[in-house]
Amino acid sequence: MGASRRRRAAVLVAALVLITGCSTGAPEPPDVTCTTAPPGPVGAEEAAVCLYEGWVATDEALVDAYGAPGVTDALPVAVDDPQMRWGGCTGAGSETPDGVVCTWTGAFSDGPVTIELAATGTDADGYRVTAVTVVR
């Protein structure tokens, strides 16, 4: 292949990456602002995202704002940027069948891990993460 063809091929690949992005196909977590004093009732997704952010940052005040007391006690200490992906929320999970369950997944040296965050509440009153389960 000549230099000119290689350049055109490289440009085509770069254009495809730009158009399609570097997406892994995983959904993006909702764009929320996590504060220790939410201004109103929060949805299940917001509660799960903010609790996760609090866990990763070891910010107990943030965890307490979106979760029940002691809800993250079963989780290990988070490493900086654990590279987990948002899996979205469903009506029930494999280990925590009550309420709305939102997941974060990742692949680690000891295999794949899913963190299920069960949120209970109502749209009117807001949701809180009431149970966290690590599924290996």
Side-chain angles (χ1 to χ4, degrees):
M1 184 184 294
S4 177
R5 270 185 110 169
R6 279 195 298 267
R7 255 183 263 132
R8 281 194 304 249
V11 169
L12 178 61
V13 169
L16 287 173
V17 168
L18 183 61
I19 291 168
T20 61
C22 295
S23 175
T24 60
E28 291 292 319
D31 185 21
V32 297
T33 301
C34 301
T35 65
T36 55
V42 299
E45 288 185 342
E46 182 177 355
V49 168
C50 292
L51 185 114
Y52 175 84
E53 286 185 13
W55 169 64
V56 169
T58 62
D59 183 337
E60 288 188 37
L62 197 56
V63 169
D64 290 344
Y66 296 91
V71 74
T72 59
D73 290 350
L75 292 175
V77 173
V79 296
D80 286 337
D81 193 17
Q83 297 295 314
M84 297 194 82
R85 284 179 289 200
W86 173 250
C89 298
T90 62
S94 63
E95 299 289 326
T96 50
D98 297 326
V100 175
V101 176
C102 303
T103 60
W104 291 88
T105 59
F108 297 93
S109 60
D110 59 346
V113 173
T114 298
I115 298 175
E116 293 183 339
L117 299 114
T120 56
T122 65
D123 289 340
D125 296 329
Y127 286 81
R128 293 181 62 75
V129 176
T130 54
V132 175
T133 304
V134 177
V135 181
R136 294 188 183 267

